Structures are given as structure tokens and as C-alpha cells.
Amino acid sequence: MRHLLSAADLDRDQALTILETAAQMHEVQHREVKKLPALRGRTVVNLFFEDSTRTRSSFEIAGKWLSADVINISAKGSSVSKGESLRDTVTTVAAMGIDGMVIRHHASGAPAQVADWIDAVVVNAGDGTHEHPTQALLDAYSISRRIGDLAGKHVVIAGDLTHSRVVRSNLLLLKTLGAQVTLVAPPTLMPSGVAAWSEAAGFATTYDFDAVLPDADAVMMLRVQKERMSGGYFPTPREYTVGYGLTRQRLKLLSPNAVIAHPGPMNRGLEITADAADEARSLILDQVSAGVAVRMSVLYHLLGGAQ
């Protein structure tokens, strides 16, 4: 594996290897000295064209804990704000002798294009509404640590599917790991062509959130991405919560052993209530913690481990 551009880049063995290494990396977070020498002498650039807190900071921490030299560049503080093209930006940075580039961009497919332009390893940290593979890895890691092997488990993904890059990566990875997946959303937020996609990829879809909750081993709530919406996708926030929010009433439908995930950031009171977000079954803070370990694992395997 040369780059990580899509969850589809990983077969089952590769995905499990990354998750197993992440479990070892997770132990570093509990040490007094949080450093490993694995990437000493390597330089990684985090190039973010969209705002981010969790992803950018976790990649930065991951690189530093592996002893890499990490440089953060944001579009607002770079020559992009002066009109420089993406190609000129990334080739200029790569010409400085970097080993890896972690890129987040608002255009779907941008990281794949960058991988064709430069020799450094490229990791997709989110591209438009396309994919976010390391998020899918950390979600799978967090869920499996609580409920075990995902093979045969039923994972429900609910929310704004149309604008989510997380749903595609999670769907690809969960299917690779053998999980059963059901997507839930109102008709206006179901992806275009989802019927053909579900038939080809082997997952289920429904508009009835309540019907699938009793059988779920894990429920992943996705953020309503209001910043990507133009026009009315649902009448009012209150009506969305009543129909598709994880509320106190819906918690009663879940199995006691089921877990709750959310890739964040959350719209509390919209797609998820405080009762659900702060519940004992919630993995939300576990996911944040796992983000560093999983991204350490990814960087290790791409830049320092077995290629």
C-alpha cells in the first residue's frame, strides 16, 4: 500500500493489521513519555484546505509521537489565498523533500490527484463529500473494542448521508470487515442512486429509524451538515430530530449491549441529544482517543513499517 486515499484501498488483512497496530499504539497514550522512534528523520506535512480540529490535531500528535517532523499548512495562511493552484502548492511543498502529505480538501478526488503529482506518500484526510478513510478506521477500531469482531454485527448509520464523506468510507470498510450495514435517512438526505449502490454493495437502506434500532449492535449518527446545504432538506430542526434524531425515547429501543458512535463534531439537540451523547454506551470520546492511535498506525505502515 503506497497511499491511503480510500477505504477501498484496504483488503481485510490490511485493515486488520492497521487496527492491530493501532491497539499497540494506543498504549503509548498512557505512557509518561509518549514517544516512539519509528519515523525519526521523516517529514510529514499536514495540508488542510478546510477547517478541522479533531483530524488535524490527531494527525499532528500522531506524527510527533512517532518522532516525525510535522509541519502544518492551512490554505488561509498559504499562497493558495493569493490564487496559487493546488498543483503548484503541493509540488512546491513536495520539492522541499517531504516524505508524507496528509491532505484535506473541499474537492472530491483531490488527494488522488495529488498522489499522481508528487512522490511523497499521500493520506486522504477528507475530500469533499467523497471519503475519509482514517475516520472509518478509527470508527471500526472504537466499535470493535467494545463489541468485538465486526463480522456479522449490524451497524446502523443514520443522518445526513447526502453530504457525508464519512458514510462512504465507513460503508466500504465495514463491509470489508464483514459487518451488516443499514443506512437510515429521510428521502431528501439519501444519496442519489442509493438503490443501485445498495444492491451492488450489499447493504440495506430504510427511512424508518425506529424499525432498525432493536436489531442494531452499533448506531452511528452523522452530523447534519448545514454548511453544505442550500434549500430545504427538512421542514424544521425539530421535525428532523423527531424523525431521525437519537433521542431519549429511541435509546429505549436499543439493546443494552449496543453502542453509540458519532464522528463529530456534533449538533447536540439535532441529530443526537445530550442523553445519547453522554450515555455510558457512547463511544464519542473513545473515537477521539482512537483517532491518534489509528493515525499513528497508518503513518507507521505507510512511512516506517512494512510497505
Side-chain angles (χ1 to χ4, degrees), residues 90-111:
V90 299
T91 54
T92 297
V93 173
M96 298 177 188
I98 68 170
D99 300 290
M101 179 177 289
V102 178
I103 180 167
R104 169 171 285 193
H105 199 276
H106 50 79
S108 298

Side-chain angles (χ1 to χ4, degrees), residues 115-142:
D116 289 336
W117 289 335
I118 67 175
D119 293 329
V121 166
V122 177
V123 179
N124 180 1
D127 59 331
T129 59
H130 180 229
E131 281 212 48
H132 195 353
T134 59
Q135 181 67 50
L137 283 164
L138 75 88
D139 292 339
Y141 175 82
S142 302

Side-chain angles (χ1 to χ4, degrees), residues 143-161:
I143 294 170
S144 63
R145 276 173 67 89
R146 189 74 68 92
I147 68 174
D149 189 345
L150 295 180
K153 297 295 197 307
H154 182 201
V155 181
V156 173
I157 304 178
D160 182 358
L161 307 181

Side-chain angles (χ1 to χ4, degrees), residues 22-292:
Q24 299 171 18
M25 297 297 186
H26 213 161
E27 297 175 5
V28 174
Q29 291 175 249
H30 305 293
R31 296 181 183 179
E32 185 174 350
V33 178
K34 300 176 177 63
K35 278 280 188 178
L36 296 175
L39 298 186
R40 184 177 295 158
R42 299 281 198 170
T43 301
V44 178
V45 169
N46 294 329
L47 183 58
F48 277 61
F49 291 84
E50 287 186 324
D51 294 336
S52 171
T53 300
R54 294 160 185 77
T55 303
R56 178 171 167 168
S57 58
S58 63
F59 266 115
E60 181 178 3
I61 293 169
K64 289 181 175 178
W65 283 0
L66 289 169
S67 299
D69 295 310
V70 180
I71 300 167
N72 292 317
I73 301 175
S74 66
K76 293 175 184 176
S78 72
S79 295
V80 172
S81 61
K82 301 177 182 178
E84 187 174 60
S85 70
L86 173 63
R87 180 167 187 159
D88 286 340
T89 297
V90 299
T91 54
T92 297
V93 173
M96 298 177 188
I98 68 170
D99 300 290
M101 179 177 289
V102 178
I103 180 167
R104 169 171 285 193
H105 199 276
H106 50 79
S108 298
Q113 184 66 75
V114 169
D116 289 336
W117 289 335
I118 67 175
D119 293 329
V121 166
V122 177
V123 179
N124 180 1
D127 59 331
T129 59
H130 180 229
E131 281 212 48
H132 195 353
T134 59
Q135 181 67 50
L137 283 164
L138 75 88
D139 292 339
Y141 175 82
S142 302
I143 294 170
S144 63
R145 276 173 67 89
R146 189 74 68 92
I147 68 174
D149 189 345
L150 295 180
K153 297 295 197 307
H154 182 201
V155 181
V156 173
I157 304 178
D160 182 358
L161 307 181
T162 292
H163 302 100
S164 175
R165 53 188 164 215
V166 172
V167 66
R168 184 180 298 274
S169 290
N170 265 286
L171 184 56
L172 289 167
L173 184 64
L174 288 169
K175 295 301 294 181
T176 296
L177 295 174
Q180 301 173 25
V181 182
T182 300
L183 301 186
V184 182
T188 53
L189 291 175
M190 276 286 184
S192 177
V194 71
W197 182 24
S198 65
E199 184 176 352
F203 61 90
T205 63
T206 182
Y207 303 137
D208 190 344
F209 195 13
D210 293 345
V212 296
L213 287 175
D215 185 48
D217 295 296
V219 178
M220 183 181 301
M221 303 306 299
L222 299 181
R223 180 173 67 89
V224 174
Q225 299 190 38
K226 291 176 283 188
E227 74 278 7
R228 296 184 188 271
M229 294 180 177
S230 58
Y233 283 84
F234 45 84
T236 66
R238 174 62 181 163
E239 288 184 72
Y240 181 87
T241 302
V242 169
Y244 294 95
L246 190 56
T247 60
R248 180 182 302 175
Q249 292 72 26
R250 288 198 170 96
L251 289 176
K252 298 174 183 177
L253 299 176
L254 278 175
S255 160
N257 297 320
V259 295
I260 300 162
H262 193 308
M266 295 181 287
N267 291 312
R268 282 181 181 252
L270 185 55
E271 74 267 3
I272 188 169
T273 64
D275 299 278
D278 301 329
E279 241 234 12
R281 291 176 289 180
S282 171
L283 302 177
I284 294 169
L285 290 181
D286 294 354
Q287 290 170 271
V288 176
S289 176
V292 176

